[in-house]
């Protein structure tokens, strides 16, 4: 079955894991001199596909190389966050992901067989997308590949493996292995999105450094027909699997994912055998609300994990994103979600540089911003792993005391860590931000991802995030009074090519006003990747221009206040 012949169906008539992609000989393979392209992306997993789509939507031609010709197998990454769904919306496939995925926001934590508390990841209404959807990675890759096939600026080359690289001052030259032999290919910029065992990283002599945890976990995807809510269940020391932990998630197609902690001494090959997995799953189900369920084993794997990253995500003309740049434990769903945020951060900056709108220094900010985000994810992932798998008697005593206290005391529940779930990084200290000159409250600080809220468009309810532009900066102007008119005049007088969105201060937009601490005239400047870069109560045209140039890393740009004076240091 080939994607070129058939779009992925809506109702699961096709076994998506059997989908294959054609190797097609390209004219570049017989060119007299190596063909040169603006961007070459290496790796057609979720991150590489997302980056290629984002660039193509900004009119940047992309060559996407992958050493294989099929999608991933098994569930692998399954928890995709609200932020990832918003990214998929920008890429034109969010509805596909959301409709196929299993939405959830409630989690339950158990000690042995007793629930000690539950949590709600999105307690406030007024967001288009749920806190998380569970969706097997092969569906995510399939829907992204389907979207990429619709974009003529993306040239996907399957069974094209990068086996060599030479860096030059203004480009990189790759040696690519194919079924028809090797050929050379040049790119102004190369994006390494080829996963945790990145061949591109190794070819450059680079490595990721960090900590490997001495523990093993079994993933078992089981198919069963049960009537049970879509929730995240996490057990510490359950009676059916003593002294270890277990995690349960619902997936589409009646498939449930179960993660069993095994311990470092477990034999991975033995644990993967069905004759050992099935009794383990049966014991768990018999001790749960699923005791009458029958099941079949769909897929299984045993994994260990590390928390690590490259020292720098940028090396000459090569930029790394996703697992090729950093790795975390699976607790908290921070791997694929953070990789997608890498891709959206990199895409608009590459487009700005290639279009001559920004200097190459802007790409240095990609590395700085996403290295900070990786450190945040690694810190949270390490803390979760240390809590779930204590490595000393003292650590275990502390963990168990916290769990027992959490039954009755809310303060202790804040200390329970079964995986702090993925949230987008707030890039507070980014050099691209303009410091506040006016007083604001709330979470929409420079560097934060914009917040969603209901938005009235053409007399029908839409969503604020959908009004933001993926190819240009957006000026979000609140109100209809004199101050708002002055702010809109300032936007016009700035001469900037901005996407201007006016948000009334009325009852229909009360959530937007609250989330952005808006008054009449309040204006936010939002980057193409939907991060706030500046905000004012009443901006001047000069202030808007200065913030815009600062966000594009243009030399000599200075941040100014709404009154057109020098701003304070970075927030």
């Amino acid at each position: 079955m080939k994607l070129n012949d058939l779009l992925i169906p809506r109702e699961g008539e096709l076994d998506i894991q059997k989908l294959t992609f054609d190797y097609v000989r390209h004219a570049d393979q017989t060119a007299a001199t190596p063909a040169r392209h603006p961007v070459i992306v290496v790796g057609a997993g979720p991150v590489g596909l997302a980056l290629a789509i984002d660039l193509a939507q900004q009119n940047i031609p992309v060559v996407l190389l992958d050493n294989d010709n099929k999608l991933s197998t098994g569930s692998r990454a399954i928890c995709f966050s609200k932020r990832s769904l918003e990214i998929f919306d920008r890429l034109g496939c969010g509805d596909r992901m959301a409709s196929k995925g299993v939405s959830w926001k409630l989690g339950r934590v158990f000690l042995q067989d007793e629930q000690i508390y539950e949590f709600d990841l999105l307690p406030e209404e007024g967001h288009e997308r749920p806190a998380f959807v569970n969706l097997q990675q092969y569906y995510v890759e399939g829907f992204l590949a389907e979207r990429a096939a619709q974009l003529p600026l993306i040239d996907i080359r399957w069974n094209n493996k990068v086996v060599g690289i030479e860096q030059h001052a203004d480009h990189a030259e790759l040696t690519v292995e194919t079924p028809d032999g090797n050929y050379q290919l040049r790119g102004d910029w190369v994006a390494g999105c080829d996963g945790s065992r990145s061949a591109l990283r190794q070819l450059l002599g680079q490595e990721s450094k960090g900590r490997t945890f001495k523990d093993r976990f079994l993933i078992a995807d089981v198919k069963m027909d049960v009537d049970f809510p879509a929730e995240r269940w996490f057990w510490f020391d359950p009676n059916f699997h003593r002294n270890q932990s277990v995690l349960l998630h619902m997936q589409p197609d009646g498939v449930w994912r179960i993660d069993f902690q095994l311990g470092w001494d477990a034999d991975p090959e033995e644990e993967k055998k069905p004759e050992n997995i099935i009794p383990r799953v049966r014991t768990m189900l018999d001790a749960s609300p699923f005791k009458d369920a029958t099941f079949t084993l769909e897929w299984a794997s045993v994994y260990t994990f590390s928390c690590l990253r490259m020292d720098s995500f940028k090396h000459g003309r090569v930029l790394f994103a996703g697992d090729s740049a950093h790795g975390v434990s699976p607790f908290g769903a921070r791997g694929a979600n953070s990789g997608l945020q890498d891709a959206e951060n990199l895409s608009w900056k590459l487009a700005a540089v290639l279009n001559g709108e920004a200097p190459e220094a802007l790409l240095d900010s990609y590395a700085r911003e996403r290295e900070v985000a990786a450190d945040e994810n690694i810190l949270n992932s390490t803390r979760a792993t240390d809590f779930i798998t204590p490595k000393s008697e003292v650590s275990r005593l502390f963990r168990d005391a916290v769990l027992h206290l959490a039954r009755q005391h809310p303060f202790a529940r804040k200390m329970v860590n079964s995986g702090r779930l993925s949230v987008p990084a707030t890039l507070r200290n980014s050099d691209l931000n303009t410091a506040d000159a006016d007083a604001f409250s709330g979470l929409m600080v420079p560097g934060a991802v914009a917040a969603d809220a209901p938005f009235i468009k053409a007399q029908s309810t839409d969503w604020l995030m959908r009004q933001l532009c993926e190819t240009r900066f957006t000026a979000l102007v609140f109100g209809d009074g004199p101050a708002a008119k002055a702010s809109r005049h300032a936007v016009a007088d700035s001469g900037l090519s901005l996407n201007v969105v006016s948000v009334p201060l009325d009852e229909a937009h009360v959530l937007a006003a609250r989330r952005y601490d808006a008054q009449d005239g309040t204006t936010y400047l939002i980057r193409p990747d939907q991060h706030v870069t500046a905000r004012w109560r009443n901006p001047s045209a000069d202030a808007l221009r200065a913030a815009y140039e600062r966000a594009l890393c243009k030399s000599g740009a200075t941040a100014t206040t709404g009154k057109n004076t020098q701003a304070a240091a970075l927030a």
Side-chain angles (χ1 to χ4, degrees), residues 108-112 114-117 234-238 244-245 387-390 395-418:
R108 301 181 188 273
V109 179
F110 298 83
L111 176 59
Q112 295 175 356
E114 179 185 356
Q115 179 179 319
I116 54 177
Y117 76 100
F234 193 101
W235 287 268
F236 290 97
D237 189 22
Q244 306 287 7
S245 63
F387 192 88
I388 293 167
T389 64
S395 296
R396 182 172 290 277
L397 286 170
F398 170 78
R399 194 275 307 270
D400 291 349
V402 168
L403 291 172
H404 282 94
L405 287 169
R407 288 187 173 110
Q408 301 293 332
H409 301 287
F411 83 89
R413 293 169 192 167
K414 297 178 181 179
M415 302 167 69
V416 175
N417 195 337
S418 64

Side-chain angles (χ1 to χ4, degrees), residues 527-543:
R527 303 180 344 183
D529 62 355
Q530 301 178 337
H531 280 261
V532 174
T533 194
R535 58 183 178 173
W536 306 268
R537 289 304 181 190
N538 291 108
S540 67
D542 286 345

Side-chain angles (χ1 to χ4, degrees), residues 238-252:
N239 290 333
F240 57 82
H241 193 55
R242 294 310 304 266
N243 301 314
Q244 306 287 7
S245 63
V246 178
L247 175 64
L248 175 70
H249 269 291
M250 180 194 291
Q251 302 178 90

Side-chain angles (χ1 to χ4, degrees), residues 13 39 51 99 103 123 157 168 202 241 269 302 411 422 451 467 481 489 545:
E13 299 93 341
V39 181
L51 177 58
S99 62
S103 299
R157 303 183 189 180
H168 301 274
Q202 294 173 26
H241 193 55
E269 295 307 314
V302 173
F411 83 89
S422 175
Q467 314 314 308
H489 279 305
R545 280 192 295 268

Side-chain angles (χ1 to χ4, degrees), residues 292-340:
D292 296 325
T294 58
F295 69 92
T296 56
L297 181 64
E298 295 274 301
W299 176 78
S301 179
V302 173
Y303 64 90
T304 58
F305 50 83
S306 303
C307 289
L308 39 73
R309 75 166 174 90
M310 299 177 69
D311 289 336
S312 174
F313 294 177
K314 181 174 180 288
H315 290 269
R317 310 299 290 188
V318 182
L319 302 115
F320 290 89
D323 286 352
S324 67
H326 49 79
V328 293
S329 79
F331 306 116
R334 293 175 178 271
N337 289 303
S338 63
L340 291 167

